[in-house]
Amino acid sequence: KHVFSDQSWTVLRWNKARIDKVAIVNHLSGKKLDVRSIARESELNKNTVMKLTTKIRKLRGKLYKAMATPQLRGIVEMDETKMGKDWYWGAIERETNQGIVEKIPGRSEAILSARIWKYVEEGSTIMTDEHGGYQPHPRYYSHYAVKHCEYFVHPECKLVHTNRIEGLWAQLKRKIERFCNNVKPEHIQEYINEYFYLKNHAQNLKPTLFPLYCRKT
């Protein structure tokens, strides 16, 4: 006495929209369109689109967290910024543009050094601003700092800058401000995880539908 569909026993078992509509929502949400535009293209109402995009965002975040933690190497830019009421630390590998962002309890040397040891391979070159919390061990890392109060690119060496990590902060904050109005501070990390999941799959032209068929556990 039950009716089953291709979404039964998946994380979208509650969804009543056709799977081709779900595919459209999944694809367009990765294109950074707003809810109104997605609803118009998928021919679904806004409430349904809101529920679908929220579920898809959480699934992408979980998949990103399940991926292997990136080990950054070569020239690595790092910085910290405040979003909401919390501090976030980020690092990005200059050659591959691979990066990581996570919430941190503070900006002390102990906290920042722990992130360097965890995510940056020994022998790498670290680029930071003048914040005193960055004191990587000189035996294992090369360290160059930019004095942002005076310049953004070192006048004697054009390779010494943190423009890439600053650009990452700008993209993340623009995403949260534009598409995530009134987002609660505890949900910011979810949007960051989704951003990196989509960033890692930017070269994949097919809509990534496999997260929608994760079996409910």
Side-chain angles (χ1 to χ4, degrees):
K1 297 182 180 181
H2 292 277
V3 178
F4 297 93
S5 71
D6 51 3
Q7 298 178 66
S8 298
W9 298 102
T10 74
V11 293
L12 293 179
R13 65 196 185 285
W14 53 269
N15 174 55
K16 295 182 180 179
R18 297 200 325 253
I19 193 62
D20 59 330
K21 303 288 187 181
V22 177
I24 293 173
V25 173
N26 178 63
H27 181 67
L28 295 180
S29 65
K31 299 292 186 181
K32 303 179 181 180
L33 295 180
D34 56 32
V35 172
R36 182 176 298 178
S37 300
I38 296 174
R40 183 173 60 252
E41 293 293 332
S42 63
E43 299 179 347
L44 296 171
N45 63 60
K46 289 176 62 176
N47 289 337
T48 300
V49 171
M50 283 288 293
K51 291 180 180 178
L52 283 171
T53 52
T54 299
K55 176 64 74 172
I56 291 169
R57 185 191 75 239
K58 291 182 178 180
L59 285 171
R60 287 169 175 159
K62 289 180 179 179
L63 284 168
Y64 171 73
K65 290 176 66 177
M67 294 176 179
T69 303
Q71 192 73 10
L72 307 179
R73 59 178 62 88
I75 299 178
V76 180
E77 299 179 18
M78 58 185 64
D79 190 27
E80 70 289 335
T81 192
K82 205 167 189 179
M83 287 188 277
K85 297 181 180 180
D86 300 311
W87 282 101
Y88 287 82
W89 173 86
I92 190 166
E93 186 179 303
R94 190 174 289 180
E95 182 177 354
T96 63
N97 215 30
Q98 186 179 30
I100 187 168
V101 171
E102 68 176 22
K103 186 165 69 173
I104 54 176
R107 306 167 66 206
S108 68
E109 181 180 343
I111 292 172
L112 298 178
S113 295
R115 267 64 188 178
I116 294 173
W117 284 111
K118 182 177 180 181
Y119 295 116
V120 183
E121 190 176 273
E122 293 180 13
S124 299
T125 299
I126 295 174
M127 304 286 184
T128 70
D129 58 17
E130 67 272 25
H131 177 52
Y134 291 106
Q135 298 293 335
H137 199 296
R139 180 177 177 182
Y140 301 102
Y141 301 102
S142 299
H143 178 217
Y144 297 91
V146 180
K147 295 182 179 180
H148 281 163
C149 59
E150 299 179 11
Y151 49 79
F152 289 95
V153 178
H154 198 285
E156 297 180 3
C157 181
K158 301 301 182 182
L159 293 176
V160 180
H161 62 80
T162 58
N163 293 342
R164 195 157 298 187
I165 187 66
E166 297 290 348
L168 176 61
W169 292 139
Q171 291 178 23
L172 285 174
K173 290 179 179 180
R174 185 163 55 246
K175 172 184 171 61
I176 292 173
E177 290 173 1
R178 181 177 179 183
F179 300 104
C180 319
N181 293 328
N182 300 319
V183 60
K184 296 181 179 179
E186 58 266 27
H187 295 322
I188 290 179
Q189 188 67 54
E190 291 181 6
Y191 289 97
I192 293 174
N193 292 342
E194 183 197 29
Y195 171 86
F196 277 104
Y197 177 81
L198 292 172
K199 185 173 180 293
N200 292 340
H201 290 79
Q203 303 303 321
N204 187 359
L205 298 179
K206 297 180 180 179
T208 52
L209 276 176
F210 67 91
L212 308 183
Y213 286 103
C214 298
R215 187 176 180 84
K216 178 65 177 177
T217 56

